[in-house]
Amino acid sequence: MAKKYTKEHEWIEVAGTVGTVGISDYAQEQLGDVVFVELPKVGATVAKNGQIAVVESVKAASEIYAPVSGTVAAVNEALAKEPALVNQSAEDKGWFFKIALSDPGELAGLMDAAAYKKFTEGKA
Amino acid sequence: MTQSQGETLETTPLHALHKALGARMVPFAGYEMPVQYPAGILKEHEQCRARAALFDVSHMGQAVLRGPNVEAALETLVPGDIEGLGVDRMRYTQFTNEAGGILDDLMVTRRADRLFLVVNAARKAHDFAHLERHLAPRGCTLEILAARALLALQGPAAAAAIARIVPGAERLEFMAGADLRAGDVPVYVSRSGYTGEDGFEISVAAESADAFARRLLSEAEVAPAGLGARDSLRLEAGLCLYGHDIDETTSPIEAGLAWSIARRRREQGGFPGAARIRRELAEGAARRRVGLRPEGRVPAREGTEITDESGKPVGTVTSGGFGATAGGPVAMGYVAPEAAKPGTRVNFLVRGEARPGAVVKMPFVPHRYAKG
């Protein structure tokens, strides 16, 4: 399934019932150099829009919200050693965590790539 | 990164250059300033430590103070030794209030017949009014140099680069200045800065600033750096940022700035807040600004509570972030005297979780100023 985006600049790409989540390329550009990502614990449950991770850039700490409700199935361990992956490859190698969706219907409220692009251009 | 509606931001003479270089502009102290260029804060920070970085600091306040015995007059407002300055020598000091707090920190240069002052952007209106109010009655006149830009060229290759453009600058000693020329353009250059590196600060007429900055940037060693890198560089150098690490409630002694108050001024007093400052010099201050090193990778940012190992609050972080050269998070803050000794184990309460770290000596990265 194609990536979906939130207004908080997270993306989610769902395969079956598990979604991979990260922050958008636009978001990493705005945050600047990422120096640390605080990831959730595998097995943690979270509600849609609940705070689930923190990105520390050189400038500031930013909270990351869950785009959907579910249970954390995996986290990107590579970010511990190489947080700059978020800057280099925000929407691929810089993913944050995988989440087992508890309500796939929540995806319907998210933006597709074209709508998200429009959304960020409206902000600029 | 947001600003209130209707606020009009000022720009510096290098505004068009920042835009041309692709800077991300943010509101800072009433000015639209570059926080970073496309290279990003980490690379700009490393550029300054490894080669040379050019900063626009034209938002800062530049002024000239003249009058009969102007050095003694300024000493009534600051604890620094101004009368003891040689001609074209500069010194760091603070405007203090009657309670011994800090109204601003500044650089004072003694010229042959006047003093040249550089103060913080966010405080310049206040500082200039303060100077007028207290020193006009003593016959002093303040000339605000609003039509001048201020640039900082900082880094180990700064001297080699500036020598090609402003011959003679490379021979200046640390904390000394001179009237020099960049071709036809008169500039005032001092060997000083806010990064812990060797470097220069150059005052130039606004109309010449753009061409002068482009000339500096054309040198192979030089790249632009924004306010983001300026902040992480000064933090690693252990230097205070007004409004964060020092303010109207912190005394120079609490802030660890006793080194900037010469013996004559300590003995004679004669500056606002002398009673508190002399008492703290004799008896110790109620809190001390210290360097802080969180373990791991999580920065302890401004406002983070500091506790001892038992969980008892001992202080607060006033500046904190990621030290690119130090290779991890660095911070400074105020702690109780019993927690101020380097090596003291502390915890930082970050997002509700106690994270370990220690009080450490500053600077985090050794200063590399030009040797006199």
Side-chain angles (χ1 to χ4, degrees):
Chain A
M1 198 197 83
K3 277 198 187 84
K4 296 264 199 172
Y5 296 84
T6 72
K7 286 183 177 173
E8 305 290 343
H9 306 287
E10 292 92 10
W11 56 264
I12 181 166
E13 188 167 27
V14 178
T17 57
V18 174
T20 303
V21 178
I23 64 169
S24 71
D25 194 52
Y26 173 85
Q28 71 77 20
E29 178 77 35
Q30 293 297 311
L31 290 173
D33 297 308
V34 171
V35 296
F36 180 77
V37 183
E38 189 172 282
L39 293 168
K41 291 204 166 38
V42 173
T45 60
V46 64
K48 180 180 165 70
N49 299 331
Q51 194 236 307
I52 185 150
V54 178
V55 181
E56 296 268 9
S57 76
V58 179
K59 282 180 286 194
S62 307
E63 296 186 339
I64 303 304
Y65 305 97
V68 294
S69 307
T71 304
V72 176
V75 298
N76 188 355
E77 306 283 358
L79 295 182
K81 269 198 180 141
E82 214 182 337
L85 280 175
V86 179
N87 296 114
Q88 294 155 9
S89 180
E91 302 201 15
D92 183 18
K93 292 192 178 71
W95 63 277
F96 283 17
F97 58 90
K98 293 180 192 289
I99 186 167
L101 278 64
S102 56
D103 179 7
E106 289 172 347
L107 292 167
L110 303 180
M111 291 176 274
D112 64 15
Y116 178 68
K117 187 161 182 283
K118 223 174 213 172
F119 172 70
T120 57
E121 284 167 357
K123 283 181 92 81
Chain B
M1 307 251 295
T2 54
Q3 62 175 112
S4 56
Q5 291 284 321
E7 184 188 354
T8 317
L9 293 173
E10 297 198 56
T11 57
T12 75
L14 297 184
H15 192 256
L17 176 58
H18 299 317
K19 293 273 180 138
L21 291 168
R24 178 174 304 159
M25 306 300 285
V26 298
F28 181 83
Y31 283 78
E32 190 179 333
M33 296 297 292
V35 65
Q36 66 172 84
Y37 297 88
I41 294 172
L42 287 180
K43 284 208 167 63
E44 292 166 24
H45 179 115
E46 287 159 4
Q47 169 75 24
C48 182
R49 293 269 185 254
R51 288 170 294 277
L54 182 67
F55 302 84
D56 178 14
V57 290
S58 303
H59 57 315
M60 297 187 79
Q62 302 180 68
V64 165
L65 192 63
R66 294 182 176 86
N69 211 349
V70 66
E71 296 83 10
L74 184 62
E75 283 195 354
T76 64
L77 300 180
V78 304
D81 179 5
I82 308 305
E83 295 205 69
L85 267 177
V87 171
D88 288 345
R89 297 280 162 170
M90 63 198 288
R91 187 156 279 167
Y92 171 79
T93 190
Q94 310 85 32
F95 289 118
T96 48
N97 63 24
E98 291 299 333
I102 300 173
L103 296 168
D104 196 9
D105 59 346
L106 71 155
M107 284 290 187
V108 180
T109 306
R110 183 178 196 167
R111 307 301 314 270
D113 59 346
R114 61 195 189 274
L115 298 176
F116 172 51
L117 313 180
V118 178
V119 305
N120 283 303
R123 296 295 288 168
K124 63 185 177 184
H126 172 277
D127 293 344
F128 295 155
H130 182 68
L131 284 162
E132 287 280 2
R133 188 165 61 251
H134 293 279
L135 301 189
R138 302 179 73 101
C140 294
T141 55
L142 184 72
E143 181 192 356
I144 298 167
L145 305 180
R148 290 187 79 79
L150 191 64
L151 282 69
L153 183 68
Q154 301 279 299
I162 202 169
R164 287 176 225 125
I165 300 161
V166 188
E170 76 283 3
R171 290 195 294 276
L172 287 169
E173 291 178 20
F174 181 54
M175 297 296 269
D179 287 309
L180 296 169
R181 298 187 84 81
D184 295 336
V185 179
V187 292
Y188 180 77
V189 183
S190 65
R191 196 151 204 173
S192 54
Y194 192 47
T195 60
E197 297 297 325
D198 183 20
F200 303 84
E201 290 170 301
I202 308 117
S203 177
V204 56
E207 67 268 21
S208 305
D210 183 275
F212 179 69
R214 287 175 195 267
R215 180 80 183 79
L216 286 171
L217 288 169
S218 73
E219 295 299 317
E221 302 95 333
V222 182
L227 292 181
R230 183 171 159 83
D231 188 53
S232 57
L233 288 158
R234 70 91 197 165
L235 175 56
E236 282 188 337
L239 302 172
C240 292
L241 175 60
Y242 191 84
H244 300 260
D245 309 304
I246 49 177
D247 60 28
E248 293 186 23
T249 69
T250 58
S251 78
I253 310 309
E254 290 176 336
L257 302 174
W259 59 268
S260 69
I261 309 176
R263 179 191 287 183
R264 175 177 65 83
R265 301 303 319 274
R266 297 179 188 200
E267 288 172 355
Q268 296 176 358
F271 52 87
R276 172 181 174 189
I277 288 166
R278 292 166 75 177
R279 187 180 68 244
E280 288 180 354
L281 279 166
E283 300 168 13
R287 54 183 178 164
R288 289 298 306 243
R289 183 175 65 94
V290 295
L292 300 159
R293 197 73 210 251
E295 283 174 14
R297 301 276 298 179
V298 181
R301 298 189 189 269
E302 181 176 358
T304 299
E305 190 180 336
I306 309 165
T307 70
D308 66 13
E309 287 191 293
S310 76
K312 186 183 118 197
V314 292
T316 308
V317 172
T318 52
S319 281
F322 186 80
T325 310
V330 292
M332 59 175 83
Y334 285 84
V335 298
E338 64 269 20
K341 202 166 165 251
T344 305
R345 305 282 311 165
V346 293
N347 286 319
F348 303 98
L349 296 184
V350 180
R351 299 185 282 276
E353 194 178 325
R355 296 173 183 271
V359 173
V360 296
K361 276 196 177 138
M362 287 192 287
F364 297 97
V365 173
H367 293 161
R368 298 194 292 178
Y369 301 133
K371 298 249 166 32

